[in-house]
């Protein structure tokens, strides 16, 4: 798949990555003679279902009643730039592990990036520069939506490009004498006739924001922001890596059970469910996993701890 559906963007990414340290996605090969080294989730047990639902709703994008949540359908390909190469390789490998753990297909080595994480001197200024010089990178974003990207507080600015496709993946057909059209099947009670596919994500990070945080934290935060269209403001007070740059929070050292559950449930099942329905299913899935963890916990070692809704 071409990045943002345009070879121009592939050329842009190549130029940017050529001028800075680059780390491509790599899942470290397994040693057949050694035990697997899985991603370890700290024992931050989730709170009750009400708080989990509230947090899932708060960070999910607001979509219309008849609109689905966006997610990648094509395999993802990460590229990172702007830090020393060993650091980028660590971040890239962790990003790939996170995607794999969520059940998201990876495009493999040598792929064309559709997720770009760049460390720059000033992320807001860089985003504004790209809006002026490379507006095609923002595709169908309205001026007001582009201003919202710039208004995000903190050292990170993110945007994702997506498009509506039919339930079967058909794209809009261009007409020479009229607007684009999309042939779709009839919607049903359990699903819409359309889905929304994420095509690309760009995440710009102030380089100085790395100070005081581990590369694992940076990669886990990036995974949440690039693999889903997240509203980070909604994470306030929640037990999630999305609080990493909240000055009032004590952020976790890695993705929490909520974070992993959110991504896994987002990519599980059909992408044609109504947004509100999908968010409710995500919350139920997270709570169910937490209940199972508590049931499986060894006697005398409770799994309960800090909840999804608060510290």
């Amino acid at each position: 798949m071409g990045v943002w559906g345009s070879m121009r963007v592939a050329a842009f990414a190549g130029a940017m990555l050529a001028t800075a340290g680059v780390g491509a996605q790599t899942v470290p090969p397994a040693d057949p003679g050694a035990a697997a080294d899985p991603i370890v989730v700290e024992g931050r047990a989730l709170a009750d279902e009400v708080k989990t639902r509230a947090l899932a709703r708060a960070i999910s994008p607001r979509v219309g009643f008849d609109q689905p949540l966006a997610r990648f359908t094509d395999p993802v390909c990460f590229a990172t730039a702007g830090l020393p190469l060993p650091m980028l390789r660590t971040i890239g490998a962790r990003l790939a592990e996170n995607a794999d753990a969520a059940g998201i297909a990876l495009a493999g080595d040598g792929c064309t990036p559709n997720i770009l994480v760049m460390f720059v001197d000033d992320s807001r200024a860089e985003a504004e520069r790209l809006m002026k010089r490379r507006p095609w990178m923002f595709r169908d974003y309205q001026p007001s939506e582009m201003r919202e990207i710039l208004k995000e507080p903190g050292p990170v600015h993110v945007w994702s490009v997506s498009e509506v496709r039919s339930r079967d993946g058909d794209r809009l057909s261009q007409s020479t004498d009229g607007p684009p059209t999309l042939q779709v099947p009839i919607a049903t009670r359990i699903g819409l006739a359309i889905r929304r596919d994420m095509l690309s994500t760009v995440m710009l990070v102030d380089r100085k924001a790395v100070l005081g945080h581990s590369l694992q934290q940076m990669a886990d935060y990036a995974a949440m922001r690039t693999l889903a269209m997240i509203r980070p403001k909604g994470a306030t007070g929640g037990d999630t890596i999305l609080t990493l740059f909240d000055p009032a929070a004590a952020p976790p050292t890695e993705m929490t059970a909520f974070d992993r559950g959110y991504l896994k449930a987002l990519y599980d099942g059909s992408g044609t469910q109504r947004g509100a329905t999908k968010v409710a299913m995500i919350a139920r899935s997270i709570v169910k996993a937490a209940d199972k963890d508590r049931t499986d916990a060894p006697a005398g070692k409770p799994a309960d701890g800090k909840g999804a809704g608060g510290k």
Side-chain angles (χ1 to χ4, degrees):
M1 183 191 75
V3 185
W4 297 282
S6 169
M7 291 306 295
R8 292 183 299 171
V9 179
F12 163 77
M16 295 299 287
L17 299 176
T19 60
V22 182
Q25 66 179 50
T26 304
V27 177
D31 180 354
D37 184 18
I39 296 173
V40 177
V41 179
E42 290 187 342
R44 289 177 169 231
L46 300 173
D48 56 75
E49 187 170 356
V50 173
K51 290 184 177 180
T52 302
R53 283 179 179 274
L55 183 57
R57 285 196 302 266
I59 69 169
S60 297
R62 293 173 178 168
V63 298
F65 172 75
D66 59 348
Q67 293 294 314
L69 295 185
R71 65 184 190 182
F72 281 98
T73 299
D74 292 327
V76 298
C77 178
F78 298 98
T80 56
L83 294 175
L85 189 55
M87 298 174 71
L88 294 177
R89 284 175 174 160
T90 297
I91 292 172
R94 179 73 175 186
L95 282 167
E97 288 177 6
N98 287 333
D100 186 59
I104 303 168
L106 295 169
D109 294 337
C111 56
T112 302
N114 52 8
I115 297 178
L116 181 60
V117 179
M118 294 186 58
F119 297 86
V120 297
D121 290 335
D122 186 330
S123 60
R124 185 186 185 282
E126 183 66 21
E128 190 169 22
R129 184 185 73 83
L130 292 174
M131 288 176 183
K132 293 177 180 178
R133 298 186 181 182
R134 307 179 193 272
W136 41 266
M137 290 182 65
F138 298 83
R139 198 162 170 170
D140 298 328
Y141 274 74
Q142 299 299 313
S144 60
E145 294 172 322
M146 295 168 78
R147 287 193 293 270
E148 285 301 313
I149 294 173
L150 299 177
K151 285 181 182 178
E152 180 177 348
V156 177
H157 292 81
V158 180
W159 67 94
S160 298
V161 171
S162 63
E163 71 176 12
V164 173
R165 297 182 181 177
S166 76
R167 181 168 41 196
D168 298 324
D170 298 321
R171 288 176 161 169
L172 286 168
S173 59
Q174 300 295 329
S175 173
T176 57
D177 56 356
T181 59
L182 179 65
Q183 299 293 329
V184 298
I186 298 174
T188 67
R189 287 185 179 182
I190 59 174
L192 300 168
I194 59 170
R195 70 189 200 204
R196 179 168 286 278
D197 287 10
M198 293 174 66
L199 305 181
S200 64
T201 302
V202 176
M203 174 172 157
L204 304 177
V205 188
D206 291 354
R207 201 173 281 112
K208 63 184 179 182
V210 178
L211 298 176
H213 298 110
S214 71
L215 297 182
Q216 179 172 271
Q217 286 177 310
M218 298 300 296
D220 286 1
Y221 179 89
M224 287 295 289
R225 293 299 308 272
T226 61
L227 294 171
M229 297 180 74
I230 292 291
R231 292 190 299 146
K233 289 182 181 179
T236 302
D239 186 29
T240 166
I241 194 66
L242 293 170
T243 62
L244 186 62
F245 300 111
D246 182 349
T253 59
E254 62 180 350
M255 270 190 178
T256 64
F258 174 89
D259 298 324
R260 295 202 177 282
Y262 186 96
L263 283 182
K264 188 172 182 61
L266 174 64
Y267 280 86
D268 187 38
S270 172
T272 63
Q273 293 156 324
R274 288 179 170 81
T277 301
K278 187 67 173 180
V279 171
M281 293 179 67
I282 289 172
R284 285 198 299 271
S285 176
I286 295 170
V287 171
K288 184 177 180 180
D291 289 342
K292 184 178 185 301
D293 288 344
R294 283 191 287 271
T295 301
D296 295 344
K301 186 178 180 181
D304 288 359
K306 297 177 181 178
K311 302 247 186 306

